[in-house]
Amino acid sequence: MPLTPDPSVIAKMAMFQGLEADDLRDVMGNARTRRVAQGTRIFSQGDPAETCYALIDGRVKIVQTGAEGEQMIVHFIGPGEMFGTLAVFTGGGYPADAEAVTDCVEISWSAATMTELMHRHPVVAINTLNILGRRLMQVQRRLREISNERVERRIARALLRLVEHAGRPVDGGTAIDFPLSRQDVAEITGTTLHTVSRTLSAWEERGIVELGRQKVTIRDPDTLTAIAEDLPGQAPATASVRGGSGG
Amino acid sequence: MPLTPDPSVIAKMAMFQGLEADDLRDVMGNARTRRVAQGTRIFSQGDPAETCYALIDGRVKIVQTGAEGEQMIVHFIGPGEMFGTLAVFTGGGYPADAEAVTDCVEISWSAATMTELMHRHPVVAINTLNILGRRLMQVQRRLREISNERVERRIARALLRLVEHAGRPVDGGTAIDFPLSRQDVAEITGTTLHTVSRTLSAWEERGIVELGRQKVTIRDPDTLTAIAEDLPGQAPATASVRGGSGG
DNA sequence: TTATGAATTTGATGCAGCGCAAACGGGCGG
DNA sequence: CCGCCCGTTTGCGCTGCATCAAATTCATAA
């Protein structure tokens, strides 16, 4: 994990597809590389957006906070992805916090540099449109899901997405590659940590997942998918999610 | 409302800021203008995205449909705004339907033309980044709101946003400039038309809004804001929203 | 080892808002 | 002018989930 990252890492990033070696040097020449420790706040909601970032290694979570302190995890960033780019194009402050959930290595550019870069290399702007477009589509889908679907299904979907995005195969299943608390899952799915805890515990009893502190391992992704998609042949565990025998 | 729209209309669009007169002619030369009647489906979710649009006049709603038919209104498009642009940059099909909610005049470009245009005029790509970025921020805010906030407040916010976006001053208040059913409001706020109807009726009794068929007029925006922001000094009408005297 | 605190589990209870069902009303075609 | 239809209102029962409260487990520092 050298502080001068392999240029090939940058060359692979979606944002810089279609650039020549010369242009890549141009890009890298204007960048700054930095290590950040787990737990570090990289930028805060409302800060003037003067810098945009790419993640080389580690995981970063993007968290939005409401007027009364309610938080929502907007996105998890993995290696090769950009973050903090939004506000750079729209002006104004960052719309959310960014926090390193593991030790990370990041590259950053000043907003001005990035804008220049895009004027010099239109393909970078178009690549970014592509990325931002996908992200917008994702968020819109999530918006529909969160309005129309039950909590259990939302949690199932969230786990499946996390596995896809950050799954690490382990003995007897797939784990999620960074610390993920029940509270985190709640802030992804728009529910409370209590409900998440109950739901996951019920799933653990059914052998679908295995739980640990800030850790979830998926043992039976098919059943999870069945829950997420409401496929027939898999009885929902709704009843047992509630207080057990109470009711 | 001529079928050959005033070039100055295009010149004013956010997307084409910073273009010279020559370039604007380039842009317009590749565009196609069309009238569409109220109710027309302009494109459908899943259709291959070969065209992107700008609205000259009228209103268009963008609606996403889930696997089981649940719908969510993602956005209302007004004059001067682009739509159907997302999928053009990301490839694949449109992520939602577009439907004219009033008689409209639209301009359209083929996806290929628009991409060329952006390569020729990087500023257009960067403008689009700006627009898309703003939209993404909006959707993210809405996502947090819908996860953490009560229905009544979501409805209040939705109305205020509609007023801002499409308000028309009328005798004794501000009306919304296009037909808007209770079902529509439900699909914006992620609730049911029943709950919307109850909430709005309660507000009408308090003199906050005035209701009609596919029509809402805001009489007391301050109280509405108070509800949306949970300001002190305005008792919520929560109790009366439910079955009236029942309970 | 023990103390301290964070993350998690679990219970009990209440209620917001959903689902169903039925009635209402006004505009439009005939 | 009448009858139909769509958008809307309203009532009622029910339940999914939030909320409040407290116990329990585990990790780290002392």
Side-chain angles (χ1 to χ4, degrees):
Chain A
M1 206 194 290
L3 257 191
T4 321
D6 188 341
S8 77
V9 175
I10 284 73
K12 281 191 195 116
M13 290 180 49
M15 193 175 197
F16 300 124
Q17 290 309 301
L19 284 187
E20 307 295 329
D22 276 7
D23 301 333
L24 280 175
R25 258 194 300 280
D26 181 12
V27 169
M28 281 315 294
N30 288 294
R32 171 190 171 205
T33 306
R34 200 170 66 118
R35 270 176 220 262
V36 296
Q38 182 178 51
T40 306
R41 173 80 59 93
I42 297 171
F43 55 76
S44 296
Q45 187 167 333
D47 286 357
E50 287 150 356
T51 314
C52 65
Y53 301 83
L55 194 60
I56 299 299
D57 194 83
R59 297 277 169 187
V60 168
K61 70 174 173 182
I62 309 295
V63 184
Q64 217 183 48
T65 309
E68 281 128 50
E70 343 81 78
Q71 297 200 309
M72 151 127 307
I73 296 181
V74 173
H75 204 67
F76 278 102
I77 304 291
E81 293 183 272
M82 304 285 302
F83 65 103
T85 40
L86 254 191
V88 165
F89 306 130
T90 60
Y94 293 108
D97 297 337
E99 185 188 322
V101 293
T102 68
D103 290 339
C104 291
V105 179
E106 61 173 36
I107 323 182
S108 59
W109 296 263
S110 80
T113 303
M114 187 49 76
T115 307
E116 267 177 52
L117 226 52
M118 286 184 175
H119 272 104
R120 271 206 297 280
H121 311 296
V123 71
V124 174
I126 291 177
N127 287 340
T128 307
L129 272 178
N130 194 302
I131 297 167
L132 236 56
R134 274 175 216 283
R135 214 173 278 183
L136 183 47
M137 281 166 70
Q138 274 177 29
V139 176
Q140 284 179 356
R141 191 155 21 82
R142 230 176 118 191
L143 188 64
R144 181 176 46 70
E145 287 171 7
I146 231 167
S147 337
N148 300 325
E149 286 173 4
R150 297 285 146 94
V151 164
E152 194 185 27
R153 193 185 292 195
R154 302 208 300 264
I155 297 176
R157 245 194 256 281
L159 286 190
L160 290 169
R161 233 171 261 158
L162 284 167
V163 161
E164 178 139 2
H165 192 73
R168 177 168 43 85
V170 295
D171 185 47
T174 311
I176 284 153
D177 204 20
F178 53 86
L180 179 80
S181 72
R182 309 289 183 277
Q183 177 71 39
D184 286 334
V185 176
E187 285 175 14
I188 295 168
T189 53
T191 178
T192 62
L193 96 149
H194 309 268
T195 301
V196 171
S197 177
R198 281 187 237 275
T199 305
L200 292 185
S201 296
W203 286 350
E204 187 168 43
E205 266 178 56
R206 293 172 64 192
I208 301 172
V209 299
E210 187 182 327
L211 302 175
R213 222 152 223 250
Q214 307 198 93
K215 190 156 81 82
V216 181
T217 306
I218 281 68
R219 287 214 168 294
D220 183 354
D222 291 343
T223 303
L224 208 54
T225 306
I227 294 170
E229 312 285 351
D230 196 24
L231 299 179
Q234 291 289 352
T238 317
S240 63
V241 170
R242 302 184 63 197
S245 61
Chain B
M1 206 193 292
L3 257 191
T4 321
D6 188 341
S8 78
V9 174
I10 283 75
K12 280 190 195 119
M13 289 179 49
M15 193 175 197
F16 301 122
Q17 290 310 300
L19 285 187
E20 307 295 328
D22 275 5
D23 302 332
L24 280 174
R25 257 193 301 280
D26 181 13
V27 169
M28 281 315 295
N30 288 294
R32 172 191 170 205
T33 306
R34 201 170 66 118
R35 268 176 220 262
V36 295
Q38 183 178 51
T40 306
R41 172 80 59 94
I42 298 171
F43 55 76
S44 297
Q45 188 167 334
D47 286 357
E50 285 149 356
T51 312
C52 65
Y53 302 82
L55 194 60
I56 298 300
D57 193 82
R59 298 277 168 186
V60 168
K61 72 174 172 184
I62 309 294
V63 185
Q64 216 182 48
T65 309
E68 281 128 50
E70 344 81 80
Q71 297 200 309
M72 150 129 305
I73 296 181
V74 172
H75 204 66
F76 279 101
I77 304 293
E81 293 183 272
M82 303 286 302
F83 64 105
T85 41
L86 253 191
V88 165
F89 305 129
T90 61
Y94 292 108
D97 297 337
E99 185 187 323
V101 293
T102 67
D103 289 339
C104 292
V105 179
E106 61 173 37
I107 323 181
S108 58
W109 295 263
S110 80
T113 304
M114 187 47 79
T115 307
E116 268 177 53
L117 227 52
M118 285 184 177
H119 272 103
R120 272 205 297 280
H121 311 295
V123 71
V124 175
I126 291 177
N127 287 340
T128 307
L129 271 177
N130 194 303
I131 298 167
L132 234 56
R134 272 175 217 284
R135 217 175 275 183
L136 183 48
M137 281 167 70
Q138 273 178 30
V139 177
Q140 285 179 355
R141 190 155 23 82
R142 230 175 119 190
L143 187 64
R144 180 176 48 70
E145 287 171 8
I146 230 168
S147 338
N148 301 324
E149 287 174 1
R150 296 285 145 94
V151 165
E152 194 184 29
R153 194 186 291 194
R154 303 209 300 264
I155 297 176
R157 245 194 257 281
L159 285 191
L160 289 169
R161 235 171 260 159
L162 283 166
V163 162
E164 178 139 1
H165 193 72
R168 178 169 41 85
V170 295
D171 185 46
T174 311
I176 284 153
D177 204 19
F178 54 87
L180 180 80
S181 73
R182 309 288 182 277
Q183 178 69 40
D184 287 335
V185 177
E187 285 176 14
I188 295 168
T189 52
T191 179
T192 62
L193 97 146
H194 309 270
T195 300
V196 171
S197 176
R198 281 187 238 276
T199 306
L200 293 184
S201 295
W203 286 349
E204 187 169 42
E205 265 178 57
R206 295 172 64 191
I208 300 171
V209 298
E210 186 182 329
L211 301 176
R213 234 166 206 242
Q214 307 197 91
K215 190 156 79 82
V216 181
T217 306
I218 280 66
R219 286 216 167 295
D220 182 354
D222 292 343
T223 303
L224 208 54
T225 305
I227 294 169
E229 312 284 352
D230 195 26
L231 299 178
Q234 291 289 353
T238 315
S240 62
V241 169
R242 303 185 62 197
S245 60

